[in-house]
Amino acid sequence: MFTTLRIRLLIGLAPLLALVVVLGVWAIVMFSRLGGNIDVILRENYRSVLYAERMKEALERMDSALLFALGGEERRAREQFDANRLVFEEKLAAELGNLTLLAEGEPEMAADLDRSFSEFVALAERYFALGAGRVEERRRLYFDRLLPTFLSLKGRADDVLRINQENMEAMDRNARRAAALSIRLMALALLAAIAIGTLLALGLSRSILRPIRAVTAGARAMARGDYDQLVPVVSRDELGEQAGAFNTMARRIRELQAAGAARLLRAQRTAQATIDSFPDPVVIVDPSGAAERVNPAACRMMGLAVGDGSAVAWTPPPPIREPLAAAIRGDGDYLPSSFEQAVTLRDDGQERSLLPRVLAIRDEHGDPLGAAVVLLDITRFRRLDQLKSDLVSTVSHELRTPLTSLQMAVHLLLEEVVGPLSPKQVELLLAARQDSERLVAMVNDLLDLTRIEQGRVRLDLRPTSPKDLIAATIERFGAQARDAGIELVRSTADGLPDVPVDPDRLAHVFDNLVGNALSHTPGGGSVRLGAEASGDAIRFTVADTGEGIPPEHLPHLFEKFYRVPGSPPGGAGLGLAITREIVAAHGGDTRVESIPGRGTTFTFTLPTDPGRAGRPGDEDATP
């Protein structure tokens, strides 16, 4: 017969449930009885005690009223007597109506109290009828008749009070005895329930936990890699079904293991062979940052060795530690493109420049599984770039002297030192002077850019107010902007800290950016110069309302000699490259955003911490 686990649990718990029901019913009856006794005490005896206390108090005030009459306070005595008479009669009536469950003898006491009070009232009326002038007769009546009657009434009230108090004490003792007996019986019943429940729980848990423990032991063995597990099926309930399902699962896993071992090994070897085929270093890390797979180039350059397939601890080069941690967290890939972000490693005694690329590895749900680190060898490209920079530096330096001589010769000719000039000759010489000045400016820009790139420029860092930097720029370009009909707008936040900068070099940055903005903004437009706090840095902004830059040109703006097609003639495409290098030398970064037809915004940040100044930054172009 098939018995479900639920039925087994109900059968095992039924006796304990019945015992709990019996205890509950018995506790309800016991508490009802105790509550009834307490209710009797409060409802009957306690009320009688209150009535007796109020009657005694009213009786004493009535006696005081009689004494007031002897003292000549006739009106006051009468008012007090009548008022307390009503109180006494009210409480006496209440006492006579509260004789249902009173102690033995209390009805007779209450009746006697009623008769004595009627007699006392009659004597008091007689007392007041004598009038205030018959003091002696009143005194004799008070001491001979009223006072003994008053004392008798008070004694009867005390008897009612005493007998109710005794009855309350007796009922209280009975309630305490009943409560003590109930507590003992309840304790015994609870002990019996605990003993029975413990026995039932032990028996029931043993019958349930035995097959569960068998399944658990089998699962742990399978977790250790031992898939040859068979759990005995000892019942036909859900636990038996669980054991049977576990046996089926174990058999299926053994079949899958046998079928997939060769396929898994082939996939692992294929992946390793693919990684090994890369000439550049490749490292695959797990979520903890340990290296799982490496290729020979990574072993050779970084000293890694992963032979048996197990992960080994790996400390990546400092420049890629944070990007690698971010990729493992799932924050995104790290794909730099600048030579300044390359790392240097040694390979066979030679230094190699490697551009790191960190790619996050995720499962089908997007959860991070690790990351792949690829170090692209850019040594040859960097050497070519260095060779190009050296060539440009050399050529620029060699051109500077003859250009200076040519510029001086044109100047002497214009001064007519060698003789008078015709108007046509003056026009040609002026054009030659303008072209020579443009060539000298280009050569100077090339030399400055080369020195900055090679780190041969020493910055004279001084704490400078951002407002002063912007104010000086507006002062330099104020006349040019007014002539062009362009408004220069200053927008700086209050309370900005000073930034450590080289004022002369930074003036070159503002000159390039503001000069470009004025050149590309039509009359009636505006150029806004702003500064605001951005974390531990100051963000400077130069925004114009000009023609804007097409999105496809933005990523190349900071490249040397790059000029947007259609730009006004006269530039060499070096201003923004120099701007980027100067900002990077200050430890900042440069960005640009532009919307064609609406304007362009150049932004660069400078750190406020002097310790960060001089570190290279990154450039970014965002359409």
Side-chain angles (χ1 to χ4, degrees):
M1 178 181 179
F2 181 78
T3 303
T4 64
L5 182 61
R6 180 181 300 175
I7 295 176
R8 289 180 59 188
L9 291 173
L10 291 177
I11 294 175
L13 296 177
L16 184 59
L17 180 62
L19 184 59
V20 171
V21 172
V22 171
L23 286 176
V25 172
W26 179 73
I28 292 172
V29 174
M30 178 191 67
F31 291 139
S32 298
R33 290 180 57 190
L34 290 176
N37 292 337
I38 295 173
D39 182 66
V40 168
I41 294 173
L42 294 178
R43 188 177 68 247
E44 306 291 345
N45 300 99
Y46 183 67
R47 291 177 183 174
S48 295
V49 170
L50 292 179
Y51 297 154
E53 290 283 357
R54 296 299 301 275
M55 285 190 292
K56 286 176 59 180
E57 180 181 351
L59 193 59
E60 290 175 351
R61 292 182 179 274
M62 292 168 66
D63 180 64
S64 298
L66 297 175
L67 293 177
F68 288 164
L70 286 177
E73 298 288 340
E74 186 72 21
R75 185 181 59 80
R76 180 180 177 188
R78 188 67 191 186
E79 291 176 355
Q80 181 169 325
F81 184 88
D82 291 340
N84 286 280
R85 173 184 175 183
L86 294 176
V87 174
F88 189 94
E89 290 175 346
E90 178 186 354
K91 300 306 176 184
L92 178 60
E95 170 64 17
L96 292 173
N98 194 41
L99 301 176
T100 304
L101 296 174
L102 296 178
E104 184 178 356
E106 186 177 3
E108 293 79 7
M109 294 179 186
D112 189 25
L113 189 63
D114 187 20
R115 288 191 299 272
S116 298
F117 181 69
S118 297
E119 181 182 353
F120 179 75
V121 171
L123 290 172
E125 294 295 336
R126 179 182 169 188
Y127 174 84
F128 283 113
L130 291 175
R134 305 171 66 178
V135 176
E136 186 61 31
E137 293 182 24
R138 277 186 170 182
R139 184 180 293 108
R140 286 197 302 270
L141 179 60
Y142 176 77
F143 287 104
D144 293 342
R145 300 288 302 278
L146 282 170
L147 183 59
T149 305
F150 163 72
L151 295 176
S152 175
L153 275 171
K154 187 175 180 181
R156 278 302 181 186
D158 286 335
D159 291 339
V160 172
L161 180 63
R162 174 185 53 77
I163 194 170
N164 278 281
Q165 287 178 340
E166 291 176 353
N167 194 36
M168 289 173 65
E169 293 174 357
M171 296 184 72
D172 179 64
R173 288 192 297 272
N174 292 335
R176 289 177 180 274
R177 285 195 297 271
L181 178 60
S182 299
I183 290 173
R184 288 193 293 271
L185 292 176
M186 179 63 77
L188 292 175
L190 286 176
L191 291 175
I194 291 173
I196 295 174
T198 302
L199 293 176
L200 290 175
L202 289 175
L204 188 61
S205 62
R206 186 179 295 110
S207 63
I208 293 175
L209 292 178
R210 186 182 298 112
I212 294 178
R213 286 171 179 165
V215 173
T216 302
R220 288 175 177 171
M222 293 181 67
R224 293 192 300 268
D226 184 6
Y227 300 109
D228 295 328
Q229 299 297 316
L230 183 64
V231 175
V233 181
V234 297
S235 62
R236 300 183 59 187
D237 54 13
E238 287 87 346
L239 295 177
E241 291 182 352
Q242 183 187 37
F246 178 85
N247 293 333
T248 302
M249 178 192 69
R251 183 177 66 255
R252 181 60 179 164
I253 289 176
R254 288 193 296 270
E255 294 173 354
L256 291 175
Q257 182 192 27
R263 186 166 57 252
L264 178 61
L265 181 60
R266 184 169 59 255
Q268 290 176 343
R269 290 180 176 176
T270 301
Q272 186 62 49
T274 303
I275 294 174
D276 291 345
S277 64
F278 280 86
D280 299 324
V282 179
V283 182
I284 307 298
V285 299
D286 62 13
S288 66
E292 286 186 331
R293 296 183 181 278
V294 297
N295 66 349
C299 295
R300 188 175 62 252
M301 295 187 190
M302 291 183 286
L304 288 173
V306 181
D308 56 356
S310 59
V312 296
W314 177 50
T315 302
I320 64 173
R321 289 177 186 172
E322 181 56 32
L324 177 58
I328 292 176
R329 291 193 304 265
D331 294 344
D333 299 335
Y334 177 64
L335 304 172
S337 58
S338 173
F339 287 161
E340 287 78 6
Q341 295 165 300
V343 299
T344 302
L345 297 176
R346 298 191 67 83
D347 182 21
D348 294 334
Q350 297 181 351
E351 287 191 350
R352 313 292 293 181
S353 293
L354 304 169
L355 187 64
R357 301 176 71 82
V358 182
L359 306 172
I361 302 175
R362 300 178 177 86
D363 59 14
E364 63 272 12
H365 304 294
D367 297 326
L369 299 176
V373 180
V374 181
L375 301 176
L376 301 178
D377 191 348
I378 59 171
T379 305
R380 185 165 60 90
F381 299 104
R382 194 161 192 177
R383 289 174 180 171
L384 288 175
D385 184 72
Q386 182 65 37
L387 180 61
K388 182 180 64 176
S389 298
D390 293 342
L391 178 61
V392 170
S393 175
T394 302
V395 172
S396 300
H397 185 75
E398 293 298 326
L399 286 175
R400 190 172 187 177
T401 300
L403 281 174
T404 303
S405 300
L406 179 61
Q407 198 173 23
M408 184 175 297
V410 171
H411 177 73
L412 292 175
L413 289 174
L414 286 172
E415 292 293 328
E416 298 184 349
V417 174
V418 296
L421 299 175
S422 65
K424 186 63 175 178
Q425 290 173 332
V426 171
E427 180 182 354
L428 293 174
L429 287 173
L430 288 175
R433 184 175 66 177
Q434 183 179 0
D435 290 339
S436 64
E437 289 175 351
R438 187 167 63 88
L439 286 174
V440 169
M442 184 185 302
V443 168
N444 289 333
D445 286 344
L446 286 172
L447 291 175
D448 287 342
L449 180 60
T450 302
R451 284 195 293 268
I452 294 173
E453 287 180 337
Q454 295 177 352
R456 291 188 289 137
V457 174
R458 183 179 297 275
L459 299 178
D460 182 16
L461 299 179
R462 287 176 288 178
T464 307
S465 169
K467 288 187 176 181
D468 294 343
L469 292 172
I470 292 179
T473 303
I474 291 178
E475 183 178 357
R476 289 195 303 274
F477 286 91
Q480 179 181 347
R482 285 191 298 271
D483 294 341
I486 300 172
E487 181 183 8
L488 286 179
V489 181
R490 176 168 55 187
S491 173
T492 57
D494 294 330
L496 294 178
D498 293 346
V499 288
V501 298
D502 185 330
D504 295 335
R505 296 291 177 181
L506 207 62
H508 197 171
V509 172
F510 277 109
D511 291 349
N512 281 329
L513 296 180
V514 176
N516 286 341
L518 293 175
S519 299
H520 293 83
T521 301
S526 64
V527 176
R528 182 175 60 86
L529 284 75
E532 61 182 358
S534 177
D536 57 352
I538 301 297
R539 180 187 293 115
F540 293 90
T541 304
V542 177
D544 61 56
T545 58
E547 60 202 33
I549 303 172
E552 63 271 15
H553 298 292
L554 292 178
H556 308 288
L557 284 182
F558 296 101
E559 297 176 2
K560 289 178 288 188
F561 305 108
Y562 186 83
R563 302 182 73 248
V564 176
S567 299
L574 294 174
L576 292 180
I578 294 175
T579 295
R580 181 199 63 178
E581 295 298 333
I582 292 176
V583 172
H586 282 80
D589 59 71
T590 312
R591 299 174 184 272
V592 59
E593 298 177 357
S594 183
I595 300 177
R598 298 180 59 181
T600 303
T601 299
F602 283 90
T603 303
F604 64 93
T605 59
L606 298 177
T608 57
D609 181 9
R612 290 180 52 193
R615 299 180 184 178
D618 302 329
E619 74 276 7
D620 183 28
T622 304

